[in-house]
């Protein structure tokens, strides 16, 4: 799905901006954890998105807690500091998404557990 969105955006000459939602939604669901937020940001990078929708989840509990907002910002800084542009390759095998960027950075995300399993920084 993300590959098709990326290709369509390129053909139209527009940016691909999305929401790489990994945690369950619903009135009885807990908010995302910092680990889930980090995984969502890496999935967006692996998908080659130009931007990621970051939003506050409004619920009976109110807006997103500052700690989760900071987790989002830190994950964005991590991705921006380690990657440059789109990944050179990205593939899935079962629930695992692996992406590699030029320069040796790679990430493996477990999509079912919403967790970054492995992050290799530049060599």
């Amino acid at each position: 799905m993300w590959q098709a969105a990326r290709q369509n955006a390129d053909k139209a000459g527009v940016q691909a901006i999305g929401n790489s939602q990994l945690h369950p939604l619903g009135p009885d669901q807990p908010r995302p954890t910092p680990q889930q937020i980090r995984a969502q940001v890496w999935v967006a990078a692996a998908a080659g998105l130009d931007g990621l929708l970051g939003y506050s989840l409004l619920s009976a509990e109110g807006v997103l807690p500052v700690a989760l907002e900071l987790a989002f910002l830190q994950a964005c800084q991590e991705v921006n500091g380690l990657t440059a542009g789109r990944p050179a390759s990205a593939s899935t095998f079962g629930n695992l998404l692996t992406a590699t960027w030029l320069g040796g950075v790679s990430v493996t995300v477990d999509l079912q557990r919403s967790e970054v399993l492995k992050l290799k920084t530049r060599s």
Side-chain angles (χ1 to χ4, degrees):
M1 176 181 79
W2 286 114
Q3 288 175 340
R6 173 77 268 159
Q7 290 170 356
N8 288 335
D10 287 345
K11 285 179 188 175
V14 298
Q15 292 185 330
I17 299 174
N19 175 9
S20 56
Q21 184 77 38
L22 295 179
H23 65 280
L25 286 177
D28 298 328
Q29 296 295 326
R31 295 203 174 176
T33 65
Q35 294 79 12
Q36 289 172 320
I37 290 171
R38 181 177 181 228
Q40 288 175 186
V41 174
W42 275 106
V43 167
L49 296 181
D50 297 307
L52 175 65
L53 296 175
Y55 57 91
S56 295
L57 296 175
L58 294 174
S59 68
E61 299 170 350
V63 297
L64 194 67
V66 172
L68 294 182
E69 201 172 323
L70 287 174
F72 177 74
L73 294 173
Q74 289 169 343
C76 290
Q77 289 173 342
E78 179 181 48
V79 168
N80 287 332
L82 292 174
T83 65
R86 299 178 192 167
S89 67
S91 62
T92 56
F93 182 77
N95 294 322
L96 299 180
L97 167 66
T98 300
T100 303
W101 285 261
L102 297 177
V105 173
S106 65
V107 67
T108 301
V109 178
D110 185 322
L111 298 172
Q112 186 168 7
R113 291 177 27 204
S114 307
E115 180 181 350
V116 174
L117 297 179
K118 182 178 179 185
L119 176 61
K120 179 184 174 207
T121 59
R122 291 183 183 103
S123 353

